Amino acid sequence: MNALREAAPTSTLTQRMLGPGDLDAIDTLHHLAIGPLVRPEVVKPENRSYFESILSGRGLVIGLYDGPLLAAYGILQHDHAPKDGPHKMLGLDPALSVGRLAGASVHPAYRGRGLQRVLIAARVDAAPADMVLFSTAAPVNTPSWASLLSEGFPIYDIQLFFGGYARYVMVRDFTTFDPQETLLVDPLDTVRQKELFAEGLHGYARCRTDSGAAGVLYARPRKA
């Protein structure tokens, strides 16, 4: 199969859980997706040993296949290294089960078909009902944070990860927001967003600015 041929419709792709035998395909797709010029300010490059650890029990990986070709995958990690422990960062009881949507890659020939959102929804469905789910996304990576917002992961903070790169902290907590009082903010305006977090506002939707650039709508959570 020519991997760069015109991609098949999403409905023709086969979804399945991946296992150790898919390690080569995952590693190959990851490096193809991030390209030769690695930009850690946009996406964290992973090494083969990380994927191997997830497939060996630290999480699960859901793949979308077009015949023999792995078109996309998404990781749900539930076993976290101490330095990456999310409970303190999220202000959660250490006894709670926490899962991180830790990474996803889409083959270049299959972009623009909503596969990021398909994989987010698939991982949400695969997680235990009592698991708190969160993810991170670079403010400069609009497709990533916009997909997470659309699948119910509002923005709660901006923190530095992976050696000092800014990432949104996004938590699926079923919060709803009041659309009558919103603020449209440039995702690269960290100072303003930090002010809004301190005031109790969170990012909940993508919107266009007057210039046509991607912006984040902020609002207060609705009172229960």
Side-chain angles (χ1 to χ4, degrees), residues 111-173:
R111 289 174 182 163
R113 296 175 179 268
L115 298 190
Q116 287 272 12
R117 289 189 63 176
V118 170
L119 288 167
I120 293 168
R123 284 174 284 174
V124 169
D125 289 344
D130 61 348
M131 179 177 280
V132 178
L133 298 177
F134 82 104
S135 190
T136 61
V140 297
N141 190 347
T142 301
S144 182
W145 59 255
S147 295
L148 286 161
L149 286 176
S150 296
E151 294 298 324
F153 286 75
I155 301 168
Y156 274 72
D157 199 0
I158 298 175
Q159 295 195 17
L160 300 181
F161 290 83
F162 321 128
Y165 297 103
R167 295 291 190 267
Y168 282 140
V169 177
M170 309 178 70
V171 184
R172 187 174 185 269
D173 62 359

Side-chain angles (χ1 to χ4, degrees), residues 10-215:
T10 303
S11 61
T12 69
L13 301 181
T14 301
Q15 177 180 307
R16 68 173 175 85
M17 290 289 182
L18 305 187
D22 300 296
L23 176 59
D24 287 343
I26 295 169
D27 188 49
T28 297
L29 177 54
H30 171 69
H31 291 288
L32 177 64
I34 64 176
L37 299 178
V38 178
R39 298 177 60 199
E41 72 276 14
V42 179
V43 63
K44 180 189 177 188
E46 298 290 0
N47 55 45
R48 184 182 178 90
S49 63
Y50 171 72
F51 298 127
E52 190 171 20
S53 74
I54 294 296
L55 293 170
S56 298
R58 294 185 62 202
L60 59 84
V61 186
I62 298 174
L64 299 175
Y65 270 88
D66 184 7
L69 175 69
L70 180 61
Y73 71 81
I75 296 171
L76 175 61
Q77 181 177 345
H78 59 74
D79 180 6
H80 310 280
K83 65 183 179 67
D84 297 326
H87 292 81
K88 183 177 181 180
M89 177 182 70
L90 301 177
L92 298 175
D93 186 321
L96 287 175
S97 174
V98 178
R100 178 175 186 166
L101 277 64
S105 289
V106 177
H107 192 289
Y110 291 77
R111 289 174 182 163
R113 296 175 179 268
L115 298 190
Q116 287 272 12
R117 289 189 63 176
V118 170
L119 288 167
I120 293 168
R123 284 174 284 174
V124 169
D125 289 344
D130 61 348
M131 179 177 280
V132 178
L133 298 177
F134 82 104
S135 190
T136 61
V140 297
N141 190 347
T142 301
S144 182
W145 59 255
S147 295
L148 286 161
L149 286 176
S150 296
E151 294 298 324
F153 286 75
I155 301 168
Y156 274 72
D157 199 0
I158 298 175
Q159 295 195 17
L160 300 181
F161 290 83
F162 321 128
Y165 297 103
R167 295 291 190 267
Y168 282 140
V169 177
M170 309 178 70
V171 184
R172 187 174 185 269
D173 62 359
F174 308 100
T175 298
T176 58
F177 297 87
D178 185 355
Q180 301 304 313
E181 296 184 18
T182 61
L183 293 169
L184 180 58
V185 183
D186 183 338
L188 302 186
D189 190 345
T190 299
V191 172
R192 181 58 176 144
Q193 291 176 98
K194 282 286 193 180
E195 293 172 347
L196 295 178
F197 297 139
E199 296 171 13
L201 282 73
H202 304 295
Y204 78 98
R206 176 186 177 181
C207 192
R208 293 286 182 183
T209 65
D210 291 340
S211 66

